Amino acid sequence: MRAILPAPSNVGRGNSMGLPRARQAFPLSDKTSSVRTCGLKPSTLKQLGQPIQQSSNTSEVKLPNGPASRTSQVKVVEVKPDIFPPYKYSCTVTLDLGLATSRGRGKCKNPSCNYVYTNRHKPRICPSCGFNLAKDRTEKTTKALEVSSPLPDVLSATEPLSLAQREIQRQSTLQLLRKVLQIPENESELAEVFALIHELNSSRLILSNVSEETVTIEQTSWSNYYESPSTQCLLCSSPLFKGGQNSLAGPQECWLLTASRLQVVTAQVKMCLNPHCLALHSFMDIYTGLFNVGNKLLVSLDLLFAIRNQIKLGEDPRVSISTVLKSVQEHTEKTLTSEELSQLQELLCNGYWAFECLTVRDYNDMICGICGVAPKVEMAQRNEENVLALKSVEFTWPEFLGPSEVNVEDFWATMETEVIEQVAFPASIPITKFDASVIAPFFPPLMRGAVVVNTEKDKNLDVQPVPGHGSALVRLLHEGACKLEDIGSYGEEELRHLLTQCGIPFGTEDSKEQLCFSLLALYESVQNGTRARQPPPHLTGGKIYKVCPHQVICGSKYLVRGESARDHVDLLVSSRHWPPVYVVDMATPVALCADLCYPELTNQMWGRNQGCFSSPTEPPVSVSCPELLDQHYTVDMMEAEHSVQHPVTKTATRHIVHVDTQPSPGDPSTGHHSSALCPELAPYTTILASITDSKPNSVRQRPIAFDNATHYYLYNRLMDFLTSREIVNRQIHDIVQSCQPGEVVIRDTLYRLGVAQIKTEAEEEGEEEEVAAVTV
């Protein structure tokens, strides 16, 4: 059993081992800063007319990332060393020719190996069987070579690695996959690859008789043998060992799966001989059209994109994968046994999610182009049927309540590493035990607050709704008329007066302890924010998320326990900007929970109004909020302020509202949260009503129950991105269509789309570009 547990505060925050790509903090620029082209001298580049950029920490040069260098955008040849663990680059790498011989040739000392070396220098390790050829040296020579020997004397290429060596190999191999496999997200960038796949799928075997004895065979189809062309490790440049059967790096039988091929081929593995690396090098060239799943499955990229396109429409990933396999069997006229089909489904499923995690994408691309990072109105949505089945996953909770902050980078990096490891080592044990307190919500990076919290561990499932007016209790607490820490010193008459003000029923014979318990029970019920409905014991609580009026997702939270007001407060306080208006059907519980959990913050945002438009102690009145009106804006190129003041409305005022006009009989203050009290919210009410029948909502609301926890979280993140980015792409398309010559589409500091005019003025020093922002 493997478990995911909270990492120490000094682990995984910036230099997380094994996770170089995932932890880039999603920069807005310099997206290809780690992409380098090596092998060309500066003088050669100069002759080719290429500008040269010399790196400060390496002797290699960097080509510009322009249209003429499309390949360098997507195929990484060399990566900055500082994103890999230090031990990979501080280890000793020997590049000497080996041990000198006197005869000029020799034979491997392994009796079962017939390898012969014909030069004056024999290798330390036999490239055929892995035998240590340094064993016959004198003891003095052996001791001198102990540090630089690629493998310890006790290790043979035919013997299994130790537990410590396997862990080194696991980390190195994951590093290697992240370095070499960086898959473009857009299919258009792989047009040539798709054309190659189509050509190979369509190729035929041609037989032609030249004479009676001679037959000419022409075949340009898929190969039957695949291996990495590398002879040196792509991480540490040490030699690679390529062995035979039963060695540490031998050939393996592998499925080849394309739209028109389903056959068994051979995949050769190579292993780095550096004992501090030991990375496994498999066939990893996606530009041949194939994606390698643990040397057990080579699947063509077009099938993986086809699965994504079906998921984008809301289909269960497992159904999409089954559909692909069924189609391949029909085209190839092959029938798989149930065992083979089950194996292929598992490999393809794990391979697909690793493919998504190795795909290079910027999650800021899903930010609404009209609202930017600071929508004026956000609306809560839920999906109680998008769940995780708990039959193969066990959630644990911390024994002691600690800080509520979660490390977003660590959590999502762990999810990514888990599926990539399942691809690199298909036999590895999946995570089956989760510490539920480390589960992080998902936000586009620029919409995420400096501190992200998940207080689900603090939910008390035993707390039931109790009679009383929570809003009255919160008001008494804020005014200081009731202090829970001094409740023991209150007399019975004083307690009865407080209970009466809070609408809590009590009997004349109730003792002081009973009166105190009634008051504390209402407080705990308000702070806990528990809903009556809890998920079945074998399922998680689903998902809540908030969207802007254009239905672009601003943040999501995945629940283990049943939804409560506390979950919505978590989403709001974890956002970079708390929206001026948050529309949720449990407006009163959310506002009161926020008042109790974050009193200083809510005091700045709504004072004693508890998120209402006016004081809940007075009759509801209509309040105009002109700052909520849609209006043209000037593209803001100034830095956004980090304060309670909203960067768009320029006020600190916030409201928690619902669209129902009828007050709740349980709490009369509910009517003060009605959106009908603000005339500027009328258009948003119409939008909210139309969401139910919209395409994005129908895709997001598909009921799916996952068995694999990692796939569940990665699926939801992917769906948030794909459905939102589709909306954003339409926004960009509409603006591009309206652009005039000399205008380009840009994003301002708040990440809103705008149009900029490019004016070129000739000056003495040369030409200088000037960007003039215009209103949108």
Side-chain angles (χ1 to χ4, degrees):
M1 174 181 292
R2 289 183 56 208
I4 170 174
L5 301 171
S9 59
N10 62 335
V11 175
R13 297 177 184 268
N15 291 322
S16 180
M17 182 180 295
L19 308 166
R21 183 183 63 81
R23 302 286 63 83
Q24 294 175 359
F26 304 91
L28 294 180
S29 60
D30 195 22
K31 295 178 183 176
T32 57
S33 61
S34 64
V35 180
R36 292 166 182 261
T37 301
C38 62
L40 297 180
K41 298 178 181 179
S43 58
T44 305
L45 290 173
K46 188 174 182 181
Q47 292 175 2
L48 293 174
Q50 295 282 0
I52 300 170
Q53 297 177 356
Q54 192 73 32
S55 175
S56 60
N57 60 350
T58 179
S59 61
E60 295 175 357
V61 294
K62 179 178 176 183
L63 287 177
N65 190 18
S69 58
R70 184 182 63 83
T71 303
S72 67
Q73 294 180 356
V74 294
K75 185 175 181 180
V76 174
V77 181
E78 186 62 39
V79 178
K80 287 183 179 179
D82 57 3
I83 65 174
F84 293 103
Y87 74 83
K88 298 287 192 315
Y89 291 88
S90 61
C91 60
T92 303
V93 179
T94 57
L95 299 177
D96 58 332
L97 295 175
L99 306 174
T101 66
S102 59
R103 298 184 302 277
R105 58 178 287 144
K107 186 177 183 298
C108 176
K109 304 303 179 184
N110 184 354
S112 62
C113 179
N114 57 4
Y115 175 76
V116 176
Y117 45 93
T118 57
N119 63 342
R120 293 273 310 184
H121 300 276
K122 72 177 179 180
R124 300 185 186 281
I125 300 296
C126 174
S128 179
C129 70
F131 188 83
N132 189 346
L133 298 181
K135 281 186 176 180
D136 58 348
R137 306 295 291 174
T138 63
E139 182 180 356
K140 181 178 179 180
T141 305
T142 302
K143 288 183 177 180
L145 295 173
E146 281 179 354
V147 176
S148 60
S149 179
L151 287 175
D153 289 348
V154 296
L155 180 66
S156 168
T158 59
E159 297 176 0
L161 298 177
S162 67
L163 186 63
Q165 290 167 331
R166 286 203 302 269
E167 177 60 22
I168 291 174
Q169 185 175 76
R170 186 187 74 88
Q171 293 283 356
S172 299
T173 305
L174 294 178
Q175 292 276 359
L176 177 66
L177 287 174
R178 286 193 176 276
K179 174 184 178 182
V180 176
L181 288 179
Q182 297 199 14
I183 304 168
E185 200 216 349
N186 295 325
E187 296 181 49
S188 59
E189 296 184 50
L190 293 169
E192 295 178 5
V193 175
F194 287 149
L196 174 63
I197 294 172
H198 178 73
E199 178 185 346
L200 294 176
N201 282 338
S202 304
S203 61
R204 292 291 182 268
L205 187 65
I206 303 173
L207 303 179
S208 58
N209 289 321
V210 177
S211 64
E212 293 183 359
E213 295 81 14
T214 307
V215 176
T216 302
I217 300 177
E218 298 180 13
Q219 185 178 15
T220 57
S221 185
W222 297 97
S223 172
N224 291 319
Y225 180 85
Y226 295 89
E227 72 170 45
S228 169
S230 303
T231 57
Q232 290 184 320
C233 178
L234 298 177
L235 286 180
C236 66
S237 301
S238 298
L240 295 181
F241 163 67
K242 172 184 172 183
Q245 294 289 348
N246 302 321
S247 70
L248 293 177
Q252 300 181 19
E253 284 194 342
C254 177
W255 286 102
L256 174 67
L257 179 68
T258 76
S260 64
R261 295 287 191 279
L262 180 55
Q263 63 193 64
V264 177
V265 297
T266 300
Q268 174 70 47
V269 182
K270 299 179 181 180
M271 188 181 78
C272 174
L273 294 178
N274 183 345
H276 301 286
C277 181
L278 301 173
L280 292 176
H281 288 60
S282 305
F283 177 77
M284 296 178 289
D285 188 359
I286 63 170
Y287 293 93
T288 61
L290 298 175
F291 182 76
N292 190 343
V293 184
N295 299 299
K296 300 287 186 182
L297 171 66
L298 291 171
V299 56
S300 59
L301 288 177
D302 59 327
L303 297 184
L304 297 175
F305 277 93
I307 294 172
R308 177 193 292 171
N309 291 333
Q310 289 301 308
I311 291 176
K312 191 187 300 185
L313 299 176
E315 192 169 89
D316 187 326
R318 292 163 298 188
V319 174
S320 303
I321 289 168
S322 297
T323 302
V324 165
L325 289 177
K326 181 180 178 181
S327 173
V328 171
Q329 289 182 82
E330 291 174 351
H331 279 86
T332 58
E333 298 182 351
K334 290 188 178 181
T335 303
L336 297 171
T337 66
S338 59
E339 183 179 350
E340 289 174 333
L341 184 59
S342 176
Q343 180 192 32
L344 270 178
Q345 284 178 325
E346 182 179 1
L347 287 170
L348 187 54
C349 186
N350 287 332
Y352 172 74
W353 290 115
F355 156 79
E356 290 293 0
C357 291
L358 291 168
T359 296
V360 181
R361 59 169 57 101
D362 184 351
Y363 287 99
N364 289 315
D365 291 343
M366 64 180 280
I367 296 176
C368 179
I370 298 173
C371 297
V373 297
K376 291 184 287 187
V377 176
E378 292 181 8
M379 295 164 276
Q381 301 287 301
R382 69 170 57 88
N383 185 347
E384 295 177 312
E385 296 182 286
N386 183 339
V387 296
L388 173 64
L390 300 179
K391 61 182 180 182
S392 57
V393 180
E394 178 187 357
F395 281 107
T396 61
W397 301 91
E399 295 182 6
F400 304 99
L401 296 182
S404 298
E405 181 181 357
V406 290
N407 191 315
V408 178
E409 286 86 358
D410 280 357
F411 174 74
W412 289 108
T414 301
M415 296 299 98
E416 292 182 0
T417 301
E418 166 67 8
V419 293
I420 295 174
E421 182 176 351
Q422 291 294 316
V423 162
F425 306 98
S428 61
I429 302 173
I431 292 176
T432 57
K433 196 170 184 178
F434 265 81
D435 179 348
S437 67
V438 306
I439 298 173
F442 171 65
F443 293 88
L446 285 177
M447 299 188 75
R448 190 173 70 214
V451 176
V452 177
V453 299
N454 182 356
T455 64
E456 194 166 9
K457 69 181 187 307
D458 301 325
K459 290 180 184 175
N460 187 344
L461 300 182
D462 297 326
V463 173
Q464 299 296 326
V466 297
H469 301 156
S471 59
L473 175 60
V474 171
R475 184 174 65 258
L476 291 174
L477 291 171
H478 284 173
E479 291 174 352
C482 176
K483 297 181 179 180
L484 296 182
E485 63 271 18
D486 299 332
I487 194 172
S489 61
Y490 291 164
E492 290 188 15
E493 285 301 319
E494 200 171 1
L495 287 172
R496 290 191 181 96
H497 178 65
L498 291 174
L499 294 179
T500 302
Q501 287 184 291
C502 295
I504 303 174
F506 59 89
T508 55
E509 70 283 356
D510 287 351
S511 65
K512 178 180 177 180
E513 289 73 17
Q514 289 175 314
L515 298 176
C516 289
F517 176 79
S518 297
L519 193 64
L520 292 174
L522 179 60
Y523 174 85
E524 189 173 9
S525 177
V526 173
Q527 186 187 48
N528 196 57
T530 305
R531 285 171 59 92
R533 180 169 180 174
Q534 291 295 326
H538 63 285
L539 298 174
T540 59
K543 167 185 178 180
I544 65 168
Y545 54 99
K546 54 193 181 79
V547 300
C548 75
H550 309 95
Q551 299 191 57
V552 175
I553 289 182
C554 306
S556 299
K557 184 179 180 184
Y558 317 102
L559 311 179
V560 177
R561 295 166 169 169
E563 176 193 357
S564 80
R566 184 186 290 275
D567 299 309
H568 293 272
V569 176
D570 285 352
L571 273 181
L572 290 169
V573 299
S574 300
S575 302
R576 179 180 177 184
H577 299 291
W578 184 308
V581 175
Y582 185 62
V583 184
V584 60
D585 57 2
M586 53 172 82
T588 299
V590 169
L592 296 181
C593 182
D595 257 325
L596 291 184
C597 295
Y598 302 93
E600 295 182 2
L601 175 63
T602 57
N603 184 54
Q604 297 179 66
M605 296 192 299
W606 57 62
R608 298 289 182 260
N609 282 357
Q610 300 178 356
C612 304
F613 289 104
S614 58
S615 173
T617 60
E618 303 291 337
V621 295
S622 180
V623 176
S624 177
C625 301
E627 68 273 12
L628 298 178
L629 289 172
D630 275 336
Q631 54 190 343
H632 291 289
Y633 65 87
T634 300
V635 176
D636 184 5
M637 301 308 293
M638 301 296 292
E639 284 294 329
E641 296 181 6
H642 298 282
S643 66
V644 177
Q645 176 178 299
H646 193 265
V648 177
T649 63
K650 304 301 182 183
T651 70
T653 306
R654 305 292 198 276
H655 305 289
I656 309 294
V657 308
H658 55 72
V659 294
D660 298 327
T661 56
Q662 297 298 323
S664 169
D667 195 332
S669 68
T670 305
H672 289 75
H673 292 277
S674 173
S675 60
L677 296 176
C678 178
E680 287 80 11
L681 287 179
Y684 296 103
T685 304
T686 305
I687 292 172
L688 183 63
S690 66
I691 285 180
T692 306
D693 300 323
S694 67
K695 177 184 174 182
N697 187 69
S698 64
V699 170
R700 293 165 180 165
Q701 291 294 323
R702 296 287 176 90
I704 302 179
F706 284 80
D707 295 325
N708 184 296
T710 311
H711 297 172
Y712 170 73
Y713 294 113
L714 292 174
Y715 166 83
N716 278 286
R717 181 179 68 166
L718 179 66
M719 287 302 294
D720 285 0
F721 175 78
L722 292 178
T723 55
S724 299
R725 206 266 309 268
E726 185 175 354
I727 298 171
V728 175
N729 283 347
R730 288 201 300 269
Q731 295 173 343
I732 295 174
H733 176 266
D734 292 343
I735 295 180
V736 169
Q737 293 294 97
S738 65
C739 280
Q740 302 298 318
E743 294 180 342
V744 294
V745 178
I746 62 168
R747 288 217 192 226
D748 68 357
T749 304
L750 295 179
Y751 229 62
R752 300 173 297 187
L753 293 172
V755 177
Q757 294 177 341
I758 306 299
K759 296 181 180 179
T760 304
E761 298 179 358
E763 298 182 353
E764 292 181 2
E765 297 80 10
E767 294 187 347
E768 184 178 281
E769 289 187 348
E770 178 182 311
V771 178
V774 298
T775 58
V776 175

